[in-house]
Amino acid sequence: MVIGYPLCLEGVAFRNHGIIGIYQQKEKIIVLHCAFGFGNPKQPAEDKRQPNYILLDVFSKDFKEHTKVHLCYYQESFISALDSELYEENGKLILNTKKYKGFTETIAKLFEVSDKGLVEIGPSPESVMEIYNDSKTYHFGNSEVYMHSPFVMACRDSSSGNMIWKTKIGAYLYTEVKEENGILYFGTDGNGGKFFAVDLSDGRIRYSYPTGGTSNFICYKEYVLLSDEKDKPILLNRKNGVLCKEIQFDDYRITAYQQMIVVEDKLYAIAYREDVIYAVSAELTEI
């Protein structure tokens, strides 16, 4: 069964709408998103304030129960989904609306997030610059994996610094690099975009699967869950990259940032249908 809820605010038109993320919190599934709307048409031209919204949708795991709350700030600075972060601190979920140093001023506030609502708790701490996945160095034992150039992945010995291998992947690294049993898994975007499995020892490409761009993937049992070229969820055999199953997803399509989680054999994802953004639940049944 596929269930979708529109992520909107009744009676409010959004000028811009961004999804911060979809998460599990205890026995609930939560979605955090933000938006800014239109200013009051009667306000003076020099008044640049506009309504800024932080929105929280809370779902039961079966997606049969749904509640939503929101906060609104009327000011010039705005809220950026890309510059926000949710993390746990002292047993609480904290939303930081200014994680990175951007070019536009944001509201820069901290919020406590729970299935009961959103509570402002203070100003954001000093923000930091974002380090993108293709600029990181990934450490696996004595091996360091990194991007040698935009389309070339490399591995060096962490002790000597000597290069062990270089492999052309033909696109930009877009995901984190994960390792399991000596195999590296990662996704790329640009030039078509693919999902890769690469041998850590010698850089040999075990397989690549065309996706049109992979910005997220999930290792699920013996499979890899990801979005295909049609923006639909699929399961690949993790060992050989063979397509095992196309997940029933009705007429929804996963959004470009591929925000999705798996909880108890269910996929929860941010998706769209026509021009509306949804939170969607879909079954991951056994093959």
Side-chain angles (χ1 to χ4, degrees), residues 57-267:
D57 286 69
V58 181
F59 304 91
S60 59
K61 288 182 181 178
D62 61 9
F63 250 46
K64 293 181 180 179
E65 298 176 8
H66 171 221
T67 60
K68 63 192 329 174
V69 297
H70 75 276
L71 298 176
C72 181
Y73 293 86
Y74 202 74
Q75 55 192 60
E76 288 187 38
S77 54
F78 76 114
I79 306 162
S80 168
L82 294 178
D83 290 345
S84 300
E85 179 189 30
L86 183 71
Y87 53 86
E88 186 172 338
E89 185 175 87
N90 299 323
K92 299 179 180 179
L93 282 182
I94 304 298
L95 172 64
N96 182 357
T97 60
K98 191 181 180 184
K99 179 184 177 185
Y100 304 122
K101 294 179 180 178
F103 296 104
T104 306
E105 183 182 0
T106 69
I107 67 170
K109 295 179 183 295
L110 289 178
F111 301 86
E112 182 180 345
V113 180
S114 73
D115 59 1
K116 306 300 181 183
L118 295 160
V119 178
E120 182 183 334
I121 57 176
S124 295
E126 181 67 23
S127 55
V128 296
M129 292 297 293
E130 180 175 10
I131 301 176
Y132 295 100
N133 290 325
D134 59 355
S135 298
K136 296 178 182 178
T137 298
Y138 300 89
H139 301 269
F140 307 107
N142 292 325
S143 298
E144 295 180 348
V145 174
Y146 62 101
M147 294 304 295
H148 183 267
S149 60
F151 295 167
V152 177
M153 179 174 283
C155 179
R156 65 188 170 217
D157 184 278
S158 60
S159 299
S160 65
N162 294 331
M163 186 175 295
I164 302 172
W165 51 260
K166 288 196 300 184
T167 297
K168 186 175 182 180
I169 59 175
Y172 295 101
L173 177 66
Y174 245 59
T175 71
E176 294 275 346
V177 179
K178 300 179 182 180
E179 184 271 340
E180 185 174 301
N181 298 324
I183 305 299
L184 303 176
Y185 299 98
F186 57 89
T188 65
D189 203 353
N191 292 340
K194 296 179 180 179
F195 177 78
F196 283 88
V198 171
D199 197 306
L200 175 60
S201 63
D202 59 12
R204 178 171 61 92
I205 297 177
R206 294 289 187 97
Y207 64 81
S208 63
Y209 188 91
T211 60
T214 297
S215 55
N216 188 23
F217 67 93
I218 297 173
C219 292
Y220 165 70
K221 298 183 177 179
E222 64 267 36
Y223 311 108
V224 175
L225 170 69
L226 69 168
S227 176
D228 67 6
E229 291 179 299
K230 298 179 181 179
D231 302 323
K232 298 287 189 176
I234 59 173
L235 291 175
L236 301 183
N237 183 303
R238 202 183 313 173
K239 291 184 178 180
N240 56 27
V242 172
L243 175 64
C244 296
K245 185 179 181 65
E246 296 177 342
I247 305 302
Q248 175 61 38
F249 211 57
D250 291 353
D251 56 350
Y252 298 104
R253 294 178 179 273
I254 292 177
T255 55
Y257 292 106
Q258 299 170 5
Q259 294 159 306
M260 53 189 182
I261 59 174
V262 171
V263 179
E264 297 175 2
D265 296 328
K266 283 189 177 182
L267 166 65

